[in-house]
Amino acid sequence: MGIFWLTNIIIILIEAALLATIIAFYVKTIIAVKSKFLLPIVLFSTLFLLQSILSVYYYYNFSHFVGASVSVPLILINSIGLASFIVLFVSLRQ
């Protein structure tokens, strides 16, 4: 596995950790407030977490036969996704 694929996997794992934290925050809020309004947000976040887990699996498999021509552009795409989850995470903490 090359460094570029490893970088992609690390970015996705950081996203997954942030998403798990966001889901836990919303679940605690749902329990405390007893609001069904936040339930779709939990579902939405859970789908993103599932996407992250599947991405790690497929990126690992791709790393054995696909080179930097695919992994380098994915670093940019995944970095933008990570930045968006960081903004969401920070906004929830305020």
Side-chain angles (χ1 to χ4, degrees), residues 46-68:
T46 303
L47 290 173
F48 272 122
L49 181 58
L50 179 62
Q51 177 198 4
S52 295
I53 293 166
L54 288 173
S55 294
V56 168
Y57 172 76
Y58 284 111
Y59 286 2
Y60 177 75
N61 287 333
F62 288 165
S63 71
H64 299 310
F65 59 88
V66 179

Side-chain angles (χ1 to χ4, degrees), residues 25 29 86-94:
F25 171 81
T29 303
I86 288 172
V87 168
L88 179 61
F89 180 77
V90 169
S91 68
L92 289 175
R93 302 221 32 160
Q94 295 179 351

Side-chain angles (χ1 to χ4, degrees), residues 4-6 8 10-11 19-20 22 28 34 37 39-41 46 50 56 63 65 73 76 79 83 89:
F4 296 124
W5 283 112
L6 186 59
N8 275 307
I10 289 170
I11 290 170
L19 281 165
I22 289 168
K28 287 180 187 177
K34 303 203 189 304
F37 169 74
L39 200 55
I41 296 173
T46 303
L50 179 62
V56 168
S63 71
F65 59 88
L76 176 63
S79 296
F89 180 77

